[in-house]
Amino acid sequence: AQSVTQLGSHVSVSEGALVLLRCNYSSSVPPYLFWYVQYPNQGLQLLLKYTSAATLVKGINGFEAEFKKSETSFHLTKPSAHMSDAAEYFCAVSLGEGAQKLVFGQGTRLTINP
Amino acid sequence: NAGVTQTPKFRVLKTGQSMTLLCAQDMNHEYMYWYRQDPGMGLRLIHYSVGEGTTAKGEVPDGYNVSRLKKQNFLLGLESAAPSQTSVYFCASSPLRAAGNSETQYFGPGTRLLVL
């Protein structure tokens, strides 16, 4: 069975600092991996996704993530945090079969300090 | 395009009452999903549909029923609401998956449900 673990339910960084949100997955077969962002009182929006084309994936708003099979990780990074990045971030995994059911991590709330 | 819309945005129910949440999408997507979001637990799949007239159970289906009579609509029903069903409910849709790929799911804004 697939599962996703996000390390750290809350992460706080200063504006301009590096953002690193951690995600580890377990899957018996090569998975598809996603990062979604949820701004307050809104639905989820796709940041980026890994579908085996390239291990370093670039997304919207300056975010990127690297798929590391040996570490079963898909950590999300952004070189310089902006106040508008404050949100909750979810990592998700799918086997891509049939209806592509997503299994989500617990979420990480990112706070940006001025 | 409105994308994925959900009705209502917020609802308060008493234990034992019933209600239906409506999800509509105008992107002609084949797949639709209902999730619930609870603090510290991420999103969990309740039910999903791979096409008009079809539904299937997800991870946490108990206490919920669904119907997909029209391709653009996916209804989530609570026959007898319980306090444990207090949650935020999200609907999502996605197109048919291309071979060797995984399609993005598009989410609605959510319905906040409080069961007293």
Side-chain angles (χ1 to χ4, degrees):
Chain A
Q2 309 161 82
S3 67
V4 175
T5 301
Q6 291 183 239
L7 297 176
S9 58
H10 290 91
V11 171
S12 181
V13 302
S14 298
E15 190 173 18
L18 171 72
V19 175
L20 170 61
L21 304 182
R22 300 177 186 274
C23 173
N24 288 89
Y25 69 91
S26 67
S27 174
S28 57
V29 297
Y32 298 105
L33 293 157
F34 304 79
W35 276 100
Y36 280 86
V37 60
Q38 183 181 31
Y39 298 105
N41 299 313
Q42 294 187 26
L44 278 69
Q45 177 184 358
L46 182 71
L47 269 180
L48 49 82
K49 66 179 180 181
Y50 166 76
T51 57
S52 77
T55 57
L56 183 62
V57 182
K58 294 187 184 298
I60 61 172
N61 301 338
F63 284 93
E64 62 181 36
E66 186 173 9
F67 172 70
K68 291 188 177 181
K69 185 178 179 180
S70 61
E71 300 177 6
T72 60
S73 69
F74 190 56
H75 301 332
L76 182 70
T77 61
K78 182 174 180 177
S80 178
H82 191 274
M83 295 299 291
S84 60
D85 295 327
E88 188 150 21
Y89 293 79
F90 293 94
C91 182
V93 63
S94 166
L95 290 182
E97 297 172 343
Q100 315 169 85
K101 294 174 284 184
L102 290 177
V103 175
F104 285 86
Q106 306 93 314
T108 297
R109 183 167 299 279
L110 177 64
T111 301
I112 312 296
N113 301 314
Chain B
N1 286 351
V4 180
T5 58
Q6 294 183 230
T7 310
K9 288 184 171 55
F10 177 70
R11 184 76 183 267
V12 178
L13 287 179
K14 294 181 180 178
T15 297
Q17 287 186 318
S18 63
M19 77 163 295
T20 300
L21 282 65
L22 170 64
C23 175
Q25 54 96 2
D26 61 3
M27 297 173 283
N28 201 35
H29 285 171
E30 291 296 325
Y31 302 150
M32 295 187 75
Y33 315 80
W34 275 107
Y35 295 89
R36 60 178 288 173
Q37 182 181 25
D38 302 292
M41 302 187 74
L43 279 77
R44 293 179 292 167
L45 183 64
I46 305 172
H47 286 280
Y48 64 98
S49 168
V50 300
E52 182 178 320
T54 72
T55 63
K57 294 180 180 180
E59 180 185 355
V60 289
D62 294 343
Y64 306 95
N65 56 75
V66 288
S67 65
R68 184 125 180 247
L69 299 180
K70 294 183 179 181
K71 185 177 183 179
Q72 64 267 34
N73 295 337
F74 195 27
L75 305 179
L76 178 71
L78 286 73
E79 289 187 350
S80 179
S84 60
Q85 294 178 303
T86 293
S87 187
V88 181
Y89 292 86
F90 287 99
C91 177
S93 70
S94 65
L96 272 174
R97 181 179 69 87
N101 201 351
S102 184
E103 296 294 342
T104 300
Q105 291 188 18
Y106 295 84
F107 285 79
T111 293
R112 192 172 297 273
L113 176 65
L114 174 61
V115 182
L116 301 175

